[in-house]
Amino acid sequence: SYVVTQPPSVSVAPGQTATITCGGNNIGSKSVHWSQQRPGQAPVVVIYYDRERPSGIPERFSGSNSNSGQTATLTISRVEAGDEADYYCQVWDSSSNQWVFGGGTKLTVL
Amino acid sequence: EVQLLESGGGLVQPGGSLRLSCAASGFSFSSCAMSWVRQAPGKGLEWVSHISGGGGTTYYADSVKGRLTVSRDNSKNTLYLEMHSLRADDTAVYYCAKASGSGNQPFDSWGQGTLVTVSS
């Protein structure tokens, strides 16, 4: 089955830019969705279809996924203390008809 | 406003059974696929099962095939997860999640979850 890989942790100072990657075989051919999960809360989608932001999600959140690459990226600009959370990438594996989550990345705001 | 309210969690012995429910409101339930996603204590998200808007198509994670069954009653706006032959590694918070369409579209809303603990 398809596997997506995320770094376990990313740390960034307030006001700086955080970059969280999601790697997978030919992931550029898939749509990647990103969710944020704050401690003790349910997940919330922050990016879907690689780069689309749901209503209510700040413009500081952006996504990319190169058609030729093996990595999708979630970028959070001007990081704030409230962005501290676990972030998960998610893709649909059409060969197995299963949703696949990455292992999650804990974003720490220093 | 979309609302998803899970219920039915609790403590169950290994080998036991449980049925989870997810009551939905605030959207056209039959038009949206639904999924169950679980999260073991201190672990990441694990997708469990998917059901299409009409209920005719279901998919499962390999770890639960043959033991968990997803279903829905569109007349009651309710999603279900029948759980049998439960094991300790099924212990998790179980979330229901609403897809943005009737098929394999991404999730756009999640419930708050219900805790299932499998232990003797």
Side-chain angles (χ1 to χ4, degrees):
Chain A
S1 58
Y2 193 76
V3 175
V4 289
T5 303
Q6 299 181 235
S9 63
V10 167
S11 299
V12 64
Q16 300 303 303
T17 297
T19 301
I20 298 174
T21 59
C22 177
N25 184 35
N26 201 26
I27 197 169
S29 66
K30 301 181 183 299
S31 292
V32 179
H33 318 292
W34 293 90
S35 293
Q36 173 196 67
Q37 186 180 34
R38 294 189 173 105
Q41 297 187 17
V44 172
V45 175
V46 294
I47 292 289
Y48 59 97
Y49 294 117
D50 297 336
R51 62 183 64 249
E52 302 295 323
R53 269 181 299 105
S55 61
I57 300 301
E59 292 183 7
R60 301 184 296 105
F61 288 80
S62 62
S64 65
N65 186 17
S66 169
N67 286 339
S68 61
Q70 303 296 314
T71 303
T73 301
L74 172 69
T75 301
I76 309 171
S77 304
R78 303 181 300 282
V79 166
E80 303 172 355
D83 297 331
E84 193 162 274
D86 294 324
Y87 291 85
Y88 296 90
C89 61
Q90 177 187 0
V91 302
W92 175 256
D93 179 20
S94 57
S95 64
S96 63
N97 287 322
Q98 296 178 341
W99 281 109
V100 179
F101 284 100
T105 298
K106 180 177 180 60
L107 175 65
T108 299
V109 181
L110 301 171
Chain B
E1 178 191 4
V2 172
Q3 290 196 337
L4 301 169
L5 184 61
E6 301 94 338
S7 62
L11 176 63
V12 60
Q13 292 189 338
S17 300
L18 210 57
R19 187 177 85 156
L20 306 184
S21 300
C22 171
S25 62
F27 65 100
S28 177
F29 184 67
S30 62
S31 298
C32 297
M34 300 291 294
S35 275
W36 288 97
V37 178
R38 67 185 182 183
Q39 186 169 36
K43 302 297 184 182
L45 301 175
E46 178 188 17
W47 171 79
V48 171
S49 67
H50 159 107
I51 185 167
S52 60
T57 300
T58 57
Y59 303 123
Y60 296 92
D62 293 343
S63 60
V64 306
K65 279 180 185 175
R67 301 187 301 115
L68 274 57
T69 302
V70 62
S71 63
R72 64 193 297 161
D73 185 338
N74 286 346
S75 69
K76 295 182 178 179
N77 287 356
T78 302
L79 174 73
Y80 302 102
L81 185 67
E82 292 275 357
M83 309 171 72
H84 299 286
S85 303
L86 285 165
R87 313 184 302 222
D89 62 359
D90 293 315
T91 294
V93 173
Y94 285 73
Y95 296 99
C96 63
K98 167 189 170 295
S100 54
S102 62
N104 58 329
Q105 286 83 11
F107 309 153
D108 59 11
S109 294
W110 296 66
Q112 287 303 305
T114 186
L115 176 62
V116 173
T117 303
V118 183
S119 175
S120 56

